[in-house]
Amino acid sequence: MYSEKVMDHFMNPRNQGEIPDADGIGEVGNPSCGDIMRIFIKVSNDVITDVKFQTFGCGAAIASSSMATELIRGKTLKEAWDMSNKAVVEALEGLPPAKVHCSVLAEDGIHKAINDYRIKNGLEPWEEK
Ligand code: FES
């Protein structure tokens, strides 16, 4: 039921942990399942130079955070903002329909971390589409 990519990122998550001196932190939760995700970013010249996550949740949420952090590392804040959960699901070679909402947590966590950075730097937060 899960792709090999999902299993790989669930068993060997990339970028797991925290960045103590992060420039932006995003914490999101899904009230229906109770899962929580935190995204930490380091930013230099508008580029995400480092990113880590902590996810207290299901396997699909862990695999999604792992893949999402891989996808946004080295990207500009705008590129990272525009990365949808669909891109995460595609990179994971699919998620079962009942688990797609887990990848939304990663998109939301990244958005929160980016806006946390923007607010801390006196910039207008970007609006969700
Ligand atoms: Fe809650 Fe996956 S079941 S994020």
Side-chain angles (χ1 to χ4, degrees), residues 19-124:
I19 301 177
D21 59 341
D23 297 318
I25 301 174
E27 181 172 317
V28 285
N30 181 321
S32 58
C33 62
D35 291 350
I36 294 172
M37 187 183 294
R38 274 192 211 121
I39 302 280
F40 303 85
I41 55 172
K42 284 294 277 182
V43 180
S44 175
N45 291 328
D46 227 38
V47 169
I48 297 178
T49 54
D50 198 11
V51 51
K52 287 202 187 305
F53 77 90
Q54 288 179 322
T55 293
F56 309 94
C58 73
I62 291 169
S64 296
S65 0
S66 171
M67 182 56 89
T69 52
E70 286 284 275
L71 292 176
I72 64 166
R73 179 187 298 277
K75 296 280 183 337
T76 64
L77 290 174
K78 190 74 182 72
E79 287 167 340
W81 180 272
D82 288 339
M83 186 201 62
S84 69
N85 78 299
K86 242 182 105 202
V88 177
V89 174
E90 269 164 29
L92 286 171
E93 294 169 357
L95 277 176
K99 288 283 167 184
V100 169
H101 77 273
C102 316
S103 65
V104 174
L105 222 46
E107 180 184 328
D108 290 350
I110 288 167
H111 283 181
K112 273 215 168 173
I114 289 172
N115 272 342
D116 182 49
Y117 166 82
R118 291 184 60 83
I119 290 163
K120 281 179 178 152
N121 285 276
L123 301 164
E124 280 287 308

